[in-house]
Amino acid sequence: MLSSAILFDLDGTLTDPKLGITRCIQYALSELGYKPPNADELHWCIGPPLKGSFSQLLNTLDDTVIEQAISLYRHRFATIGLFENSLYPQIPEILKAIRFAGYKTFLATSKPYIYATQIIEYFGLSLLLDGVYGIELYGTRSIKSDLIQHILLTEKLLASTVVMVGDNFVKLLYETLRER
């Protein structure tokens, strides 16, 4: 059976969020009294939930410290960091072509919904997506498979007809196109 819907990740797939995410992590670490790594050393933090990244960066499992770091991160991200990213080239045209071909398109991101919707609106992509889905600020559906299951149920989609496009797929596609 052919695909009827395509789920897109946000960070690393539709947008390059490196500047905003790394600056917010650096800010949080500095505010907690740590010397933050440079942006290139924080690339691995883009994508996964913040809790795990801060746990590793701070070398702690202490939820109080981790939540304090997340709160500092979000303080900066909510006003500055979410706009410190860029749309990858041709994304609007690609989404238009996919929709014109008859597919439904959804955003499925590990970023909190409240931020994901603002970013999508900022880049003018709202009309090119049938729905925007992200995690809740305090972790509900923070595991990507739970989020995808939620989308399938909410949108009444069959798993066998849905494709998820994330940054690993996009990296492979760009590498393939560069080789030509």
Side-chain angles (χ1 to χ4, degrees), residues 70-102:
I70 291 171
S71 178
L72 289 163
Y73 172 98
R74 287 184 177 153
H75 172 75
R76 186 182 187 283
F77 190 84
T79 56
I80 300 169
L82 71 122
F83 302 115
E84 291 177 317
N85 72 52
S86 57
L87 196 61
Y88 285 124
Q90 304 297 313
I91 291 299
E93 293 80 4
I94 291 167
L95 291 174
K96 285 176 191 171
I98 290 168
R99 288 176 59 86
F100 184 75

Side-chain angles (χ1 to χ4, degrees), residues 7-98:
L7 310 181
F8 291 93
D9 194 1
L10 180 61
D11 293 344
T13 302
L14 301 181
T15 65
D16 180 356
K18 181 181 177 182
L19 185 63
I21 289 175
T22 57
R23 283 184 176 174
C24 291
I25 290 171
Q26 290 169 327
Y27 169 80
L29 294 173
S30 290
E31 290 295 305
L32 290 172
Y34 291 81
K35 183 181 182 328
N38 70 46
D40 289 333
E41 294 172 27
L42 293 171
H43 192 267
W44 63 270
C45 297
I46 299 171
L50 287 172
K51 188 171 185 170
S53 297
F54 276 120
S55 176
Q56 192 169 339
L57 286 165
L58 297 167
N59 194 27
T60 186
L61 296 175
D62 183 337
D63 280 336
T64 304
V65 173
I66 294 168
E67 289 304 321
Q68 188 177 10
I70 291 171
S71 178
L72 289 163
Y73 172 98
R74 287 184 177 153
H75 172 75
R76 186 182 187 283
F77 190 84
T79 56
I80 300 169
L82 71 122
F83 302 115
E84 291 177 317
N85 72 52
S86 57
L87 196 61
Y88 285 124
Q90 304 297 313
I91 291 299
E93 293 80 4
I94 291 167
L95 291 174
K96 285 176 191 171
I98 290 168

